[in-house]
Amino acid sequence: MINVTRSSMPPFEEYCEEIRGLWDSRWLTNMGEKHQALEQALRDYLGCDYLALHTNGHLALENLLEAFGLKGEIITTPFTFASTTHAIVRCGCTPVFADIDPVSFTLDPKKIEEKITEKTAAILPVHVYGRLCDVDAIAAIGKKHGIPVIYDAAHAFGVFRNGVSSAAFGDAAMFSFHATKVFHSIEGGLAVCRNGETLRRLNDLKNFGIHGPEEVPYVGGNAKMNEFCAAMGLCNLRHLEEEIGKRRRVVEHYRARLEGAAGLQLSPDQEGVRSNNAYFPVVFDGFRLDRDQVFARLAEKGVNTRKYFYPLTNSFACYAGKPGFDPAETPVAAHVADRVLTLPLYADLSGEDVDRICDIILK
Ligand SMILES: *Cc1c(COP(=O)(O)O)cnc(C)c1O
């Protein structure tokens, strides 16, 4: 059986060495030594001074929306994981869905602009599959209308454009360090912002809104990363470039086998962008079989793929009947969501396995 993903792991001994000191310090969470070391390593790697580790990416995103004090409408994409839309709703804001670009699968800047009203509080685009949004056009829209741009960069850790990390785009960004992501800390997340005031708020919000022993300025929750997760992050960060390189080999193998096949749309590289090779999406459009049939054939032969992202978040049952939640209003996203499949992709997926998967699809 071939799974759609497989978590990367550092050498066992390396992780044991990393956590050994915790048996002496007995300091297991609450911004301990590993937490501080990982934040410093991430500042260096991302080239960003203001960042806060979190329990997971979702809570990092909720805390960012809260720290920006957003009220009203947030323009976003339905072609994303449940987390993005839920974070907006759980923070008391209203998602306004704009459509995506058919090639990059990210928000179409022209469609964003059409949705701006006096109620618009922010734009929340998502970098999908390790490919970047049209960050320049989106920055220009945010600036023109005086609204912040907050990126869901859960898929984009390790992505660079002309040497600049994905963390540098927008007024803020969230990364997920979940076990299934290219870089992970078992569970974990990161909020990146641009100034000390926002960072102070984020750090308070992730610790019950407590600023000091006798000072509680915010109604915060608990989203602190523990030392064991931070230690896993420290180890995995040392192996990240190797991980991305191995994934690249898998992606190139898939491309060599599938490029040019009738009815298959693959994702091209973006100019000047070093992807992290997080996912390998294929759109089955005019292929002999439809997406669901390909999914079923592969599953019969022990190959797990994922209909990612399907269904669109604007068609979730929990939002049924709410105004603005209608996949027909985002026809490009609806078209892609009905036809896309992400193929198995992880660092040690063998060439023979990639060939087997491609043979099943092509035959
Ligand atoms: C994984 C993911 C999240 C949530 O991150 P967690 O760390 O799992 O909470 C949010 N958005 C997108 C696009 C994701 O893929």
Side-chain angles (χ1 to χ4, degrees):
M1 209 189 74
I2 305 173
N3 234 329
V4 68
T5 188
R6 200 157 173 263
S7 296
S8 54
M9 297 288 257
F12 181 67
E13 293 72 21
E14 184 179 340
Y15 184 68
C16 289
E17 206 43 57
E18 197 65 53
I19 61 173
R20 188 179 298 280
L22 301 176
W23 266 256
D24 299 322
S25 72
R26 303 290 172 104
W27 186 310
L28 306 186
T29 184
N30 285 60
M31 286 64 80
E33 188 190 329
K34 299 298 166 189
H35 184 286
Q36 290 173 37
L38 182 56
E39 283 196 342
Q40 187 53 51
L42 291 168
R43 276 184 217 109
D44 295 342
Y45 179 73
L46 298 172
C48 290
D49 290 337
Y50 304 102
L51 49 78
L53 282 170
H54 281 73
T55 312
N56 56 57
H58 180 82
L59 287 174
L61 184 57
E62 286 197 6
N63 276 351
L64 270 174
L65 300 182
E66 184 106 32
F68 273 75
L70 302 177
K71 300 265 175 306
E73 297 179 350
I74 298 181
I75 299 173
T76 190
T77 171
F79 193 70
T80 184
F81 185 54
S83 169
T84 322
T85 303
H86 288 346
I88 294 170
V89 174
R90 287 168 60 87
C91 290
C93 292
T94 305
V96 170
F97 297 102
D99 210 351
I100 61 170
D101 174 87
V103 176
S104 72
F105 309 132
T106 59
L107 274 178
D108 180 340
K110 290 189 297 291
K111 305 286 171 58
I112 295 175
E113 193 123 38
E114 287 169 11
K115 297 286 180 186
I116 289 181
T117 69
E118 70 282 357
K119 291 192 201 132
T120 306
I123 305 170
L124 207 180
V126 181
H127 302 300
V128 294
Y129 304 136
R131 312 164 51 71
L132 293 180
C133 295
D134 188 345
V135 290
D136 297 328
I138 294 172
I141 295 169
K143 194 164 171 223
K144 179 174 160 197
H145 298 276
I147 46 180
V149 177
I150 299 173
Y151 279 104
D152 178 335
H155 285 193
F157 190 85
V159 178
F160 289 80
R161 188 181 71 160
N162 301 322
V164 176
S165 94
S166 55
F169 302 115
D171 298 280
M174 171 278 273
F175 292 97
S176 166
F177 300 159
H178 182 257
T180 56
K181 304 299 206 268
V182 173
F183 167 72
H184 76 84
S185 58
I186 309 173
E187 290 266 7
L190 186 74
V192 179
C193 61
R194 305 291 170 228
N195 59 64
E197 174 53 28
T198 310
L199 181 62
R200 189 189 111 133
R201 227 172 290 160
L202 285 168
N203 279 327
D204 292 350
L205 283 168
K206 79 178 190 188
N207 188 26
F208 307 100
I210 297 171
H211 186 68
E214 299 180 6
E215 194 189 345
V216 186
Y218 306 111
V219 185
N222 179 4
K224 306 184 300 292
M225 178 181 282
N226 70 62
E227 291 290 278
F228 289 82
C229 287
M232 181 61 92
L234 281 167
C235 293
N236 281 335
L237 196 56
R238 291 182 199 120
H239 300 280
L240 177 63
E241 288 306 309
E242 179 192 337
E243 166 79 19
I244 291 175
K246 285 182 176 167
R247 286 171 165 269
R248 183 72 194 170
R249 283 211 293 274
V250 177
V251 164
E252 279 170 2
H253 194 151
Y254 270 129
R255 284 196 179 152
R257 290 292 317 272
L258 299 177
E259 217 141 44
L264 300 189
Q265 181 197 334
L266 310 184
S267 270
D269 280 331
Q270 295 176 294
E271 176 126 6
V273 175
R274 196 293 291 261
S275 174
N276 59 0
N277 309 298
Y279 299 89
F280 195 82
V282 178
V283 176
F284 293 85
D285 198 356
F287 191 63
R288 278 172 286 118
L289 304 178
D290 67 28
R291 187 271 313 270
D292 289 352
Q293 290 169 322
V294 177
F295 175 88
R297 294 282 177 90
L298 285 163
E300 269 167 31
K301 300 207 159 27
V303 179
N304 286 334
T305 58
R306 199 167 162 204
K307 299 175 192 176
Y308 195 56
F309 300 102
Y310 173 87
L312 294 178
T313 66
N314 57 2
S315 68
F316 283 1
C318 55
Y319 297 123
K322 278 207 169 199
F325 285 79
D326 180 3
E329 287 179 17
T330 52
V332 177
H335 183 93
V336 177
D338 283 342
R339 288 166 180 78
V340 72
L341 208 56
T342 56
L343 303 185
L345 175 53
Y346 44 86
D348 49 8
L349 182 65
S350 71
E352 294 88 81
D353 282 343
V354 173
D355 279 329
R356 222 184 96 209
I357 294 162
C358 295
D359 287 341
I360 298 168
I361 293 171
L362 295 172
K363 288 170 189 164

